[in-house]
Amino acid sequence: MTEFTPLASLIGGALIGLSAVLLMAIEGRVAGVSGIAARLLPPFRGGLPLAPLGFVMGLVAAPFAVMAVTGVPIVQTVSSNLPLMGAAGLLVGFGTALGSGCTSGHGVCGLSRLSPRSLAAVVTFMATAFLTVFVVRHVVGA
Amino acid sequence: MSLIVNVLLGLLFGIGLVVSGMSDPDKVLNFLDLAGTWDPSLAFVMGGGVLVAFIGYRVVLRRDRPLMADGFKVPTKTAIDGRLLGGAAVFGIGWGLGGFCPGPALTALGLGQPGALVFLAAMFIGFWIARLVSAGRTDMAAKD
């Protein structure tokens, strides 16, 4: 069980949206994290990828910034099943690269641009994610 | 300058992920568990993000150009094809297995849990494999 947190989630979501809007306003790009992270892999077109590197550094620093302000430790309940997490990471990396986006690029940025392509992607990955959790928790784990 | 801007925007994005609860795989998996311990919180993350971006993009994209670049680079592909849907389907399976999508996984790097580190390393290998597969397909298409 996790606690239902509509207000914190709405505020957090709004901050994510604000970051995406500012990235568009300043650098003219969409805030798709899978695309940004994949640009850290060589070959680099036009020098070192400082912009993606900076964005990723900011993401990594975020929990420490929140901890510093609130004084409350960050809760992340991560499975300790390493083969499972390895398989999950491979699928997420491969799938987002092939499908050109993830929860941020297709989700927040694509849906807010009313992109039919992103809507199709979001419906698809939500469906397989719901199905996967159903199978893992209620079929295999039952 | 671009580096500093991106650090700050990544930080803002990451704080959003942490505050919203999306950075916790347990919360994500409960959101995805409709038939069990369903926690609908993450629908509010998407709702808040899309609402702000929907309004903000309309204001921003009315301008001639971004503040620090020559033009807006908005995705132009429109094809709903096998790559898009297949990729999204595979991504959803991985998301449902680990509870991490790329952004939250990166916020987990510094907290150093073994499961998160393995996930991140595998995610970058996944990016790499997709790139090889795409390059191979393009080669084959070129030969045809």
Side-chain angles (χ1 to χ4, degrees):
Chain A
M1 285 294 280
T2 45
E3 192 192 344
F4 178 48
T5 55
L7 189 60
S9 290
L10 191 68
I11 292 170
L15 295 178
I16 293 168
L18 182 62
S19 170
V21 170
L22 290 173
L23 191 63
M24 185 61 80
I26 297 171
E27 297 217 311
R29 291 185 290 115
V30 291
V33 177
S34 59
I36 290 172
R39 282 167 61 206
L40 294 180
L41 290 176
F44 306 127
R45 285 164 296 175
L48 282 177
L50 288 180
L53 187 64
F55 199 88
V56 167
M57 282 165 51
L59 285 175
V60 174
F64 300 99
V66 174
M67 265 191 277
V69 172
T70 63
V72 183
I74 302 302
V75 181
Q76 279 190 338
T77 313
V78 183
S79 167
S80 54
N81 182 340
L82 300 186
L84 175 86
M85 293 308 286
L90 270 180
L91 295 172
V92 167
F94 181 79
T96 55
L98 194 69
S100 317
C102 57
T103 348
S104 50
H106 281 312
V108 173
C109 299
L111 292 184
S112 60
R113 293 190 308 111
L114 306 179
S115 155
R117 193 174 136 82
S118 288
L119 179 63
V122 172
V123 169
T124 305
F125 70 64
M126 291 300 303
T128 57
F130 279 125
L131 195 66
T132 301
V133 171
F134 182 79
V135 170
V136 168
R137 290 196 170 178
H138 303 289
V139 180
V140 180
Chain B
M1 188 61 195
S2 176
L3 180 69
I4 299 168
V5 166
N6 276 278
V7 169
L8 293 176
L9 293 183
L11 189 63
L12 179 62
F13 196 108
I15 290 171
L17 288 172
V18 173
V19 168
S20 69
M22 186 121 192
S23 60
D24 181 6
D26 198 25
K27 203 159 173 72
V28 172
L29 292 175
N30 281 333
F31 169 67
L32 294 171
D33 190 5
L34 291 174
T37 50
W38 192 46
D39 174 356
S41 303
L42 296 197
F44 289 77
V45 185
M46 191 56 93
V50 170
L51 186 70
V52 169
F54 179 80
I55 298 167
Y57 276 172
R58 254 138 210 82
V59 175
V60 166
L61 291 172
R62 214 176 285 155
R63 304 171 64 96
D64 292 332
R65 44 175 290 207
L67 295 174
M68 286 173 51
D70 296 331
F72 293 108
K73 291 195 203 92
V74 177
T76 50
K77 281 190 215 164
T78 53
I80 298 175
D81 53 16
R83 283 180 66 110
L84 176 80
L85 299 179
V90 169
F91 161 47
I93 296 170
W95 191 33
L97 285 179
F100 272 137
C101 50
L106 287 165
T107 68
L109 177 65
L111 301 173
Q113 294 199 53
L117 300 182
V118 168
F119 180 95
L120 277 167
M123 183 177 85
F124 278 92
I125 294 170
F127 290 153
W128 190 264
I129 294 173
R131 201 179 280 182
L132 293 179
V133 169
S134 300
R137 276 183 159 190
T138 313
D139 285 351
M140 275 165 60
K143 276 175 197 155
D144 294 342

